[in-house]
Amino acid sequence: MGQEIADEHFGAQDYERFRAALSRETELLHEWLDQQADGPVVPPRLGFEIEAWLCDTAGRPLPINQAVLESMDSPLATLELAQFNLELNSSVFQVGPGCFAAILAELKETLRQARRAARHHQAELLMAGTLPTLQPEDLGLHHMSPQARYRALNTAVLEQRAQRPLQLDIVGHEHLQHTHRDVMLEALATSFQVHTETRPAIAHRAYNASLVASAPVLAAAGNTPFVFGHDLWCESRIPVFEQSVEVGGFAGSARGPIRRVTFGTGYLHQSIGELFTENLEHFPVLLPARFDAPPQELRHLALHNGTIWRWNRPIVGIDECGRRNLRLEFRCLPAGPTLIDMLANTAFAMGLTEHLIHESPDGTLGTPFSEARDNFYNAARHGLDARLRWGHASPEPAPRLIRRHLLPRAAAGLERLGVDPAEANSLLGIIAARTATRQTGARWQRDWVARHGRDWSGLVRAYRGWQNTGSPIHTWGL
């Protein structure tokens, strides 16, 4: 969805033309994947996206992303769906010695530039899974960023739903029910997305492994307990996003049998191309844009894939040298609490995924798909209070499973990737300390509210103050 489109109104011929192009490009992708089956083994590359909030001094959202972007003037920053959100990107880094130190240095500089630009407009920047001060009335089309792709997406989703409004119905510590008439609900959830390059020959195993690894990583990373003043899940982004662009599987609809925001439908068997075949065969086209580009660039395939939000999503891209590349987007993590926390989550996810790829023929370590899926939603709901299964063993408390069994495996995986042991141990040590104290971002926010009351502006100010120190979440006080 990052690419802009020229049109936002489409007819039947546009959909037919797009589906034909999508079918042809899916064939070309399969041919390329077959040709790359014996490609060279090289260290993967790594990149990130951070979605951030723009707030006033009281912690309320400020819809000024265009002005902040102009002041920032950086190729690493771009607009998001809502005018009070920004997307901050990283360069592409080779995984290996010193990579995390280099990544942290660049992200700190990008964040410094963004904060300076925001303050030029009397705004503050916040990295969090959602904004506790946000109210439903803030999420109207009057606060949508002025891109054609966003307007077209809103129209397409509502058409697929036969103009039925979107519904949030989330049962957590409390019960949230909310009806909304546009896709601005999606702006409730802001994430930290990790892009890791993978080789076509092992991409299906890497995808399977990322599904299995996502639950323990998410259990340790929860940072989104409050939505519209309701205490919900440790990582409420998961149900919020799944319900905010729901165009498949709702009552009375015969279209789109698979939900577009999903953990997935099962493991892959032989090729990552199986997911792109699923895209073609099971997901209606939402944005039939026209591209004057050769089929080999896979522009239609990329746009269609960008409207299917798997929590672990394959992406086919073309680098600055014109070479095609394949990466996996790890989408389930929230923004925040700090840069070092997000990099610790990244190291845990990468190391654990690499361990699974190396130790298991299919990347699953014998974990049934249904078990991986249940683990994922248990982790999102309960965080470190979840009980998780690993390798089809009996459920264990998440902190014990992570500290005793998974962090050593993640360390071994990072060593295989060439990450410095000292750097790996430092980052994984943050996960160990977080699980020992049980203080995730979600737990800190709940504890703050328990002590100070439901003062949402006060919560945002306190959170922002600690975030600006750069200290990892397990060290924060109340």
Side-chain angles (χ1 to χ4, degrees):
M1 279 303 298
Q3 54 185 320
E4 183 57 302
I5 60 178
D7 301 313
E8 55 185 285
H9 301 289
F10 307 105
Q13 290 184 339
D14 295 307
Y15 286 92
E16 292 175 7
R17 172 191 45 76
F18 191 97
R19 280 191 290 267
L22 179 62
S23 179
R24 174 58 182 145
E25 291 177 11
T26 303
E27 292 178 3
L28 290 173
L29 175 66
H30 280 284
E31 292 174 6
W32 177 74
L33 291 171
D34 290 342
Q35 294 165 1
Q36 302 299 312
D38 298 319
V41 177
V42 296
R45 293 178 293 177
L46 186 64
F48 305 93
E49 303 172 37
I50 305 173
E51 297 167 354
W53 297 89
L54 294 167
C55 312
D56 63 18
T57 55
R60 291 279 296 136
L62 270 183
I64 57 168
N65 60 3
Q66 186 73 55
V68 172
L69 275 182
E70 290 173 2
S71 296
M72 189 176 175
D73 191 26
S74 169
L76 296 178
T78 187
L79 298 176
E80 263 293 333
L81 171 64
Q83 293 175 359
F84 36 73
N85 293 133
L86 284 179
E87 180 180 293
L88 305 177
N89 296 282
S90 76
S91 301
V92 179
F93 293 85
Q94 198 88 40
V95 175
C99 66
F100 282 101
I103 291 166
L104 181 60
E106 184 190 82
L107 289 178
K108 281 183 175 178
E109 175 59 21
T110 301
L111 190 59
R112 186 192 65 81
Q113 293 177 20
R115 284 174 171 158
R116 183 176 61 186
R119 288 168 182 160
H120 181 72
H121 298 277
Q122 292 73 55
E124 296 286 347
L125 201 75
L126 194 79
M127 299 178 294
T130 192
L131 188 64
T133 56
L134 195 73
Q135 298 298 316
E137 56 268 24
D138 297 319
L139 294 172
L141 295 180
H142 60 296
H143 284 157
M144 179 182 281
S145 294
Q147 267 59 45
R149 68 181 184 271
Y150 294 139
R151 295 191 296 270
L153 178 66
N154 184 67
T155 299
V157 168
L158 292 177
E159 285 179 352
Q160 289 281 328
R161 294 180 58 84
Q163 305 305 319
R164 296 177 179 88
L166 292 148
Q167 304 283 345
L168 287 185
D169 191 345
I170 305 170
V171 178
H173 287 197
E174 297 169 355
H175 187 186
L176 171 64
Q177 291 179 298
H178 172 71
T179 299
H180 213 79
R181 296 192 174 276
D182 53 63
V183 299
M184 285 293 287
L185 271 181
E186 182 188 335
L188 265 174
T190 40
S191 63
F192 172 63
Q193 297 164 17
V194 183
H195 293 246
T196 308
E197 189 174 33
T198 185
R199 291 182 289 119
I202 65 163
H204 62 294
R205 292 164 53 202
Y207 172 79
N208 294 346
S210 70
L211 295 181
V212 176
S214 58
V217 176
L218 188 60
N223 194 35
T224 318
F226 298 113
V227 177
F228 293 157
H230 291 70
D231 186 351
L232 301 174
W233 294 16
C234 285
E235 196 41 56
S236 302
R237 290 172 44 259
I238 302 303
V240 163
F241 194 30
E242 290 190 353
Q243 296 177 28
S244 65
V245 286
E246 179 53 79
V247 294
F250 59 89
S253 173
R255 302 182 186 179
I258 303 174
R259 295 187 169 189
R260 297 188 89 97
V261 186
T262 176
F263 182 72
T265 57
Y267 292 135
L268 302 181
H269 302 289
Q270 294 180 319
S271 169
I272 197 73
E274 294 162 32
L275 288 178
F276 291 93
T277 297
E278 184 177 88
N279 289 358
L280 174 67
E281 295 178 350
H282 294 285
F283 291 94
V285 172
L286 286 185
L287 300 178
R290 180 184 295 274
F291 296 113
D292 294 324
Q296 289 75 14
E297 291 187 12
L298 307 182
R299 299 286 294 279
H300 300 83
L301 180 142
L303 179 60
H304 185 57
N305 186 56
T307 66
I308 300 161
W309 296 274
R310 296 179 181 90
W311 290 115
N312 294 275
R313 179 167 65 179
I315 296 179
V316 180
I318 296 178
D319 65 19
E320 63 279 0
C321 299
R323 294 173 301 209
R324 195 172 290 165
N325 59 74
L326 179 64
R327 62 188 188 270
L328 290 178
E329 183 183 23
F330 198 79
R331 299 176 47 80
C332 66
L333 296 175
T338 63
L339 292 178
I340 196 65
D341 282 306
M342 291 186 280
L343 290 187
N345 296 338
T346 301
F348 188 22
M350 285 182 57
L352 200 52
T353 299
E354 179 65 20
H355 165 77
L356 287 163
I357 294 170
H358 183 253
E359 294 296 327
S360 179
D362 63 355
T364 72
L365 207 67
T367 305
F369 176 78
S370 60
E371 194 171 285
R373 181 185 57 211
D374 289 348
N375 276 347
F376 178 80
Y377 289 104
N378 283 337
R381 182 186 290 269
H382 301 295
L384 289 176
D385 290 330
R387 294 177 63 84
L388 305 176
R389 302 172 73 103
W390 187 258
H392 208 34
S394 299
E396 284 191 67
R400 186 171 69 191
L401 175 68
I402 291 169
R403 289 201 309 274
R404 291 186 181 179
H405 304 292
L406 303 189
L407 286 177
R409 289 166 169 80
L414 291 173
E415 184 177 4
R416 285 185 56 82
L417 290 170
V419 177
D420 289 329
E423 197 167 49
N425 291 337
S426 176
L427 291 169
L428 296 180
I430 291 172
I431 303 297
R434 199 189 299 162
T435 55
T437 62
R438 301 287 188 101
Q439 183 158 290
T440 62
R443 173 61 65 88
W444 182 88
Q445 291 180 58
R446 283 172 167 155
D447 287 349
W448 192 95
V449 168
R451 175 173 293 188
H452 301 283
R454 297 198 171 204
D455 173 8
W456 304 121
S457 292
L459 172 60
V460 171
R461 289 194 299 269
Y463 180 99
R464 185 173 64 222
W466 279 105
Q467 182 173 94
N468 289 348
T469 70
S471 301
I473 183 64
H474 69 271
T475 67
W476 290 16
L478 297 174

